[in-house]
């Protein structure tokens, strides 16, 4: 009597079940491997601390990259601001103020984002100096808390709870691989470990005609509506609160950054009244806390020369070097610049 024929259909459920278990198992192993890889390479510096410097800075989004600089490294001073403060080089700031600076200015950062980063920096080290580069967003009656750029609040929390799992994404896996290659010397970090990077074009590509066009495009409309000078400026109160956390003996610098004259509120206009009121409030906040407050945001030989700018907001590298030297002079002497480039609004 012959062996009964096996029904192929009867084996299919078992075969598919085994295949599914194998697939799920492989996916789980792959997921665990990715988590372990990202944790080992630590692309966002969750393990950074005063005794452990940040790793290679590979993510171009500073809101993701800079928390590890705020946590780690031997820095005892920092710059906070937007792109108008990004070109202040720690290599120049360090000898000028006898400190070890990180530049943590973030493109288009809101006051809230700057304060969150400053909070993180102050919580992880003794501080010798702190510099806030202010733009007109600090003067707003209702400044936005965030921009369209990703800002992971968990990354700014103490200890970055569950960060190993929260950072897992296709983006972080890509950044982790790039960080691994940078550690091996096979690629270069996007940003220096002190946060500094030249984001403007190379100086030898400067085109005066193109720059003039960009400057004029960024001019403030004199008839544009602005918040009234007596309306609230809540970000300034928060600036005072963060200055209260800086040690009494540390240098506290606040500087209104030198945007081109056409991007400033002209005297006699709503924007001009608002800016004047804002400067007066910042000066009062700084004076009560022993800060040096310097105003570069004024019509001067610096801000009226198109040759100093790429556009209405962003000055060239030689201007950045001058700002550092002028800040040193303002902090040392407490006197206004004889050429009118800056005024000292407050000095201890």
């Amino acid at each position: 009597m012959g062996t009964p024929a096996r029904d192929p259909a009867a084996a299919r459920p078992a075969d598919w079940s085994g295949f599914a278990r194998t697939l799920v198992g492989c996916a789980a192993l792959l997921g665990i491997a990715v988590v372990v890889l990202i944790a080992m390479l630590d692309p966002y510096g969750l393990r950074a601390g005063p005794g452990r410097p940040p790793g290679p800075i590979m993510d171009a989004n500073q809101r993701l990259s800079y928390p590890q600089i705020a946590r780690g490294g031997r820095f005892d001073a920092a710059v906070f601001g937007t792109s108008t403060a990004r070109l202040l080089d720690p290599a120049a700031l360090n000898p000028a103020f006898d400190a070890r600076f990180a530049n943590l200015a973030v493109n288009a950062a809101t006051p809230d984002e700057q304060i969150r980063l400053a909070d993180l920096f102050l919580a992880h080290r003794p501080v010798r100096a702190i510099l806030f580069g202010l733009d007109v967003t600090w003067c707003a009656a209702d400044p936005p808390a965030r921009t369209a750029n990703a800002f992971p609040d968990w990354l700014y929390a103490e200890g970055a709870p569950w960060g190993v799992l929260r950072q897992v994404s296709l983006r972080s896996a890509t950044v982790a691989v790039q960080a691994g290659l940078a550690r091996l010397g096979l690629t270069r970090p996007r940003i220096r470990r002190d946060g500094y990077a030249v984001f403007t074009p190379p100086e030898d590509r400067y085109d005066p005609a193109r720059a003039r066009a960009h400057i004029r495009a960024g001019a403030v409309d004199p008839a544009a509506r602005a918040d009234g000078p007596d309306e609230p400026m809540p970000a300034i109160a928060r600036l005072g609160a963060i200055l209260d956390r800086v040690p009494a003996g540390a240098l506290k610098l606040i500087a209104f950054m030198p945007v081109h004259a056409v991007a400033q509120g002209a005297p006699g206009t709503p924007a001009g009244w608002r800016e004047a009121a804002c400067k007066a409030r910042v000066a009062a906040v700084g004076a009560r806390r022993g800060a040096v407050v310097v105003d570069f945001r004024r019509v001067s030989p610096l801000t009226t020369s198109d040759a100093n700018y790429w556009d209405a907001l962003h000055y060239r590298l030689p201007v950045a070097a001058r700002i550092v030297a002028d800040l040193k002079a303002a902090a040392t002497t407490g006197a206004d610049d004889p050429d009118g480039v800056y005024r000292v609004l407050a000095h201890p």
Side-chain angles (χ1 to χ4, degrees):
M1 186 175 181
T3 303
R6 184 181 180 185
D7 184 359
R12 287 175 188 165
D15 291 344
W16 278 108
S17 177
F19 173 76
R21 284 196 298 270
T22 300
L23 182 63
V24 171
C26 290
L29 289 173
L30 179 61
I32 293 171
V34 170
V35 171
V36 170
L37 174 68
I38 293 174
M40 289 177 59
L41 294 174
D42 197 20
Y44 297 119
L46 299 182
R47 297 193 298 274
R52 184 185 178 93
I57 310 300
M58 304 306 299
D59 198 312
N61 184 346
Q62 298 162 283
R63 293 162 176 81
L64 297 174
S65 296
Y66 280 5
Q68 65 181 301
I69 302 176
R71 285 194 177 90
R74 299 178 58 200
F75 306 114
D76 57 16
V79 177
F80 302 97
T82 65
S83 57
T84 60
R86 279 195 71 191
L87 293 181
L88 303 182
D89 192 345
L93 289 164
N94 293 345
F97 297 102
D98 190 26
R100 296 185 297 271
F101 271 86
N103 188 319
L104 299 178
V106 175
N107 290 351
T110 66
D112 182 72
E113 291 173 333
Q114 296 174 49
I115 288 169
R116 292 290 301 279
L117 197 52
D119 269 329
L120 193 61
F121 185 83
L122 290 169
H124 284 81
R125 70 201 70 241
V127 172
R128 298 190 63 182
I130 194 165
L131 166 59
F132 273 93
L134 302 191
D135 291 312
V136 74
T137 52
W138 286 85
C139 308
D142 186 22
R146 298 287 182 272
T147 67
N149 298 289
F151 188 96
D153 288 280
W154 64 266
L155 195 53
Y156 291 74
E158 187 61 36
W162 297 100
V164 170
L165 297 179
R166 291 190 181 196
Q167 72 175 339
V168 175
S169 66
L170 179 59
R171 177 174 189 151
S172 64
T174 302
V175 174
V177 171
Q178 293 172 343
L181 293 174
R183 292 179 189 277
L184 295 173
L186 300 177
T187 189
R188 297 179 61 185
R190 289 179 177 269
I191 298 172
R192 252 172 32 193
R193 291 197 185 197
D194 60 7
Y196 180 74
V198 177
F199 68 97
T200 53
E203 284 292 322
D204 59 7
R205 288 171 48 190
Y206 182 76
D207 181 342
R210 183 180 178 87
R212 280 194 296 272
H214 285 300
I215 290 167
R216 300 299 171 254
V220 173
D221 182 356
R225 181 191 175 280
D227 297 324
D230 297 325
E231 290 187 56
M233 300 181 192
I236 296 176
R238 294 189 65 192
L239 176 63
I242 198 72
L243 291 175
D244 285 337
R245 293 188 51 203
V246 180
L251 175 64
K252 304 168 189 176
L253 282 168
I254 305 170
F256 285 92
M257 301 309 291
V259 299
H260 193 282
V262 301
Q264 301 174 28
T269 67
W273 294 327
R274 182 70 176 182
E275 289 187 23
C278 181
K279 292 176 183 179
R281 295 190 196 188
V282 170
V285 164
R288 288 195 296 269
R289 292 161 177 84
V292 179
V293 181
V294 185
D295 179 21
F296 291 95
R297 188 184 176 95
R298 58 198 315 272
V299 177
S300 74
L302 173 65
T303 61
T304 54
S305 173
D306 292 353
N308 288 328
Y309 290 85
W310 290 97
D311 56 38
L313 299 180
H314 301 111
Y315 46 78
R316 299 174 64 186
L317 281 174
V319 174
R322 168 162 189 170
I323 292 171
V324 173
D326 284 348
L327 285 172
K328 172 63 174 176
T332 302
T333 68
D336 296 344
D337 179 63
D339 296 325
V341 169
Y342 65 81
R343 288 185 60 220
V344 178
L345 305 183
H347 193 277

